[in-house]
Amino acid sequence: MPISSEALRAKARSVLEANRVGSWTKPAPHLYPHLWSWDSAFIAIGLLSFDPEAARREYQTLMQGQWSNGMVPHIRFDTSIEGEYFPDHNFWGCDARVTGISNSIRTSGILQPPVHALAATRLRRAGVDLEAEDFDRLFAWHHYLMQVRDSESMGGITIVHPWESGMDNSPRWDRALFGYELKEKPEYKRVDRERVEHPEDRPGDDEYDRYVDLVLRLKSVDYRVDRLPTDYPFQIKDVAMSAMFAAANRELIPWAKELGKNSERRALEGYQLRVLDQWDKTFLSKPEAARPWYVDRDMVRGQGVELFSCAGALAVLTDPASLEAPEAWIEDLCRGPFAFSDAAKRPLRRLVASTAPQEREVFRPNLYWRGPVWINIQWLLTQGLDPESPIAKQIRQSSLELVQDVGFYEYFDPVQGTGHGTDGFSWTAALVLDWLEAA
Ligand code: 2M8
């Protein structure tokens, strides 16, 4: 079906405007009432198409939540509201003693994927005036990721909570999350399921018990990942996070050069080499396989997390030696493990589901990160592919058609072709705007 660009653009813009709260934007009207890290980075990119000044404010509001150790937290809370989201800022307990920044800014104690430098670069290319201080913040962020989250110098970012991945209930985390004994069921009350049309599209209570348990364990060491006890059960080198890091880090190098920041430039070049030189050693699943595939590395169990998920496909964002033709590789994956059955109602044949349909035991087409198609993943894939290649064009076109037909949903069931989670979802709107702009 042809895309009606003007109508789609107008709707996308109204989604972002409706979710705007002063200088920043909520991911969705009801389910997510605070500022989320990677959401806001995507949102800033989308805002560029109609309000560059709002894009700058969005980006800087997000980065102002940065801790004094360089970490950019996954949520910056709107402290004027209460009870609308669990866990709230009181539960996290990240005050100035923990964050090293003003008590007027309240955040969570964990991180999300480092797409921030990608957003900053897009802003700068569009003529938005970012300052040397904006560079310094990004540098401190990348330095933190390498120093604290890759303390073993393996060239991959370690996450310590599924929420850090942004792909919360992905089956990638099942073994680590359920592989330890939960000594005591934590006390808490979730509110998310009251805020969506279909509560069954959200993670289960079993998962939430462990999400909360891990937060409490992290809280007991003031979220200092460098001080985690040796029996901390969830430590995984995240293949998607590491690919996004490499793509973002690459963008920072010319900015450092431009500013004459030579020691920072050298450090960034060192990070880039660290990831790329060791990529295959850390993430390549089976070196002997005909088709390369990349998986997370469970640092507690010392093994790869063998699964076909969108995370491995995001390797197109790096430039690993083992991946010769990323476009042909994605095509091949779409015909192979990521192929949808012929019974699928929509022609989503060129979209990459969060979990591959071939993973029959765990694939759930409507359940959050266990199968649905997410627009940010399709967008990230297109950033790693030649934009003129047929596969990049197909991913873009199919995504736009899906949103045009179904709406600005959080995620989409690739079998039924229906929208799930929350409607009015900001990054769906933002990235649609970016694709339309690039066309
Ligand atoms: C989802 O995660 C939050 C927790 O951070 C939640 O379920 O409450 C994820 O999809 C995450 O990637 C996203 O950033 C966040 C807000 O859209 O929602």
Side-chain angles (χ1 to χ4, degrees):
M1 174 191 289
I3 298 296
S4 161
S5 301
E6 275 322 303
L8 199 55
R9 194 176 276 130
K11 281 189 195 151
R13 189 177 156 160
S14 69
V15 167
L16 290 185
E17 283 171 343
N19 289 339
R20 179 90 56 89
V21 187
S23 66
W24 57 280
T25 311
K26 295 184 279 189
H30 307 295
L31 184 59
Y32 305 118
H34 305 286
L35 181 157
W36 260 261
S37 178
W38 72 332
D39 297 66
S40 271
F42 293 132
I43 290 164
I45 292 172
L47 286 171
L48 271 180
S49 71
F50 67 96
D51 192 346
E53 180 49 25
R56 188 186 60 77
R57 282 201 304 269
E58 180 84 35
Y59 173 77
Q60 289 179 335
T61 309
L62 148 69
M63 293 303 287
Q64 278 157 11
Q66 183 172 34
W67 288 15
S68 63
N69 68 356
M71 188 185 82
V72 179
H74 103 294
I75 300 177
R76 177 175 174 181
F77 288 99
D78 178 353
T79 48
S80 70
I81 55 168
E82 264 183 41
E84 294 185 22
Y85 182 78
F86 171 82
D88 67 5
H89 70 277
N90 291 318
F91 189 91
W92 284 97
C94 297
D95 56 14
R97 191 185 56 82
V98 174
T99 64
I101 60 168
S102 160
N103 257 333
S104 63
I105 295 179
R106 288 306 172 100
T107 73
S108 67
I110 56 172
L111 50 77
Q112 265 193 332
V115 290
H116 311 79
L118 294 179
T121 310
R122 294 297 298 275
L123 264 61
R124 294 182 76 233
R125 281 201 197 119
V128 173
D129 203 13
L130 293 184
E131 319 266 326
E133 189 203 322
D134 295 302
F135 170 84
D136 293 341
R137 282 185 179 276
L138 283 170
F139 178 75
W141 172 217
H142 284 215
H143 181 66
Y144 167 84
L145 287 165
M146 286 283 97
Q147 200 182 34
V148 179
R149 300 309 189 98
D150 187 35
S151 55
E152 322 78 358
S153 290
M154 284 171 66
I157 312 287
T158 300
I159 59 166
V160 294
H161 195 293
W163 284 338
E164 294 204 308
S165 70
M167 306 184 195
D168 308 0
N169 72 338
S170 170
R172 294 156 71 197
W173 317 134
D174 286 358
R175 181 167 301 160
L177 195 62
F178 293 101
Y180 74 95
E181 191 194 344
L182 186 68
K183 296 222 172 76
E184 213 177 308
K185 187 177 152 47
E187 293 268 327
Y188 65 97
K189 185 179 179 310
R190 52 191 291 199
V191 290
D192 56 311
R193 283 201 294 218
E194 296 157 16
R195 293 172 168 264
V196 284
E197 210 179 317
H198 299 286
E200 67 278 12
D201 295 349
R202 296 281 305 166
D205 283 342
D206 284 3
E207 280 150 323
Y208 257 79
D209 286 349
R210 283 157 194 273
Y211 296 158
V212 175
D213 179 63
L214 291 177
V215 170
L216 294 173
R217 287 168 184 251
L218 290 164
K219 191 176 181 177
S220 71
V221 292
D222 289 340
Y223 305 96
R224 292 283 306 262
V225 169
D226 49 352
R227 291 196 193 146
L228 280 180
T230 44
D231 65 347
Y232 186 80
F234 193 96
Q235 299 181 61
I236 299 184
K237 292 232 172 269
D238 178 329
V239 62
M241 178 92 82
S242 305
M244 288 182 246
F245 172 80
N249 193 66
R250 191 168 50 215
E251 299 290 351
L252 277 185
I253 297 171
W255 195 0
K257 267 190 203 147
E258 203 183 296
L259 292 170
K261 297 201 177 232
N262 291 330
S263 67
E264 286 86 345
R265 174 183 54 76
R266 278 194 297 275
L268 293 166
E269 286 169 349
Y271 303 156
Q272 203 66 13
L273 279 181
R274 201 204 281 192
V275 177
L276 291 187
D277 281 0
Q278 300 180 86
W279 182 268
D280 285 351
K281 201 164 148 222
T282 306
F283 295 118
L284 186 62
S285 159
K286 295 187 178 84
E288 67 288 355
R291 181 205 295 124
W293 182 242
Y294 308 98
V295 294
D296 309 294
R297 180 144 299 278
D298 186 325
M299 299 297 282
V300 174
R301 286 159 194 81
Q303 61 190 32
V305 183
E306 295 298 332
L307 188 92
F308 282 98
S309 81
C310 63
L314 289 177
V316 296
L317 288 169
T318 24
D319 200 5
S322 48
L323 192 54
E324 275 167 23
E327 290 77 19
W329 184 67
I330 294 287
E331 297 245 19
D332 188 38
L333 288 170
C334 287
R335 279 191 298 266
F338 286 87
F340 297 110
S341 85
D342 290 337
K345 298 224 168 68
R346 283 196 64 89
L348 301 186
R349 308 230 173 277
R350 293 292 181 272
L351 295 187
V352 174
S354 46
T355 300
Q358 175 191 286
E359 300 287 358
R360 288 200 180 83
E361 282 184 11
V362 289
F363 175 72
R364 299 283 176 279
N366 64 329
L367 184 50
Y368 207 36
W369 290 95
R370 296 181 86 87
V373 160
W374 289 74
I375 294 300
N376 67 332
I377 301 301
Q378 313 314 311
W379 184 86
L380 284 165
L381 288 169
T382 59
Q383 304 308 297
L385 299 171
D386 171 358
E388 294 307 318
S389 63
I391 182 70
K393 288 183 174 170
Q394 281 162 356
I395 291 176
R396 176 181 163 278
Q397 178 72 13
S398 300
S399 302
L400 290 174
E401 281 175 17
L402 182 63
V403 177
Q404 173 169 274
D405 295 357
V406 179
F408 290 85
Y409 277 90
E410 187 180 7
Y411 42 95
F412 299 86
D413 177 332
V415 176
Q416 298 298 326
T418 44
H420 289 264
T422 169
D423 194 358
F425 194 60
S426 292
W427 84 39
T428 301
L431 300 175
V432 159
L433 281 169
D434 187 61
W435 270 322
L436 290 173
E437 206 56 24

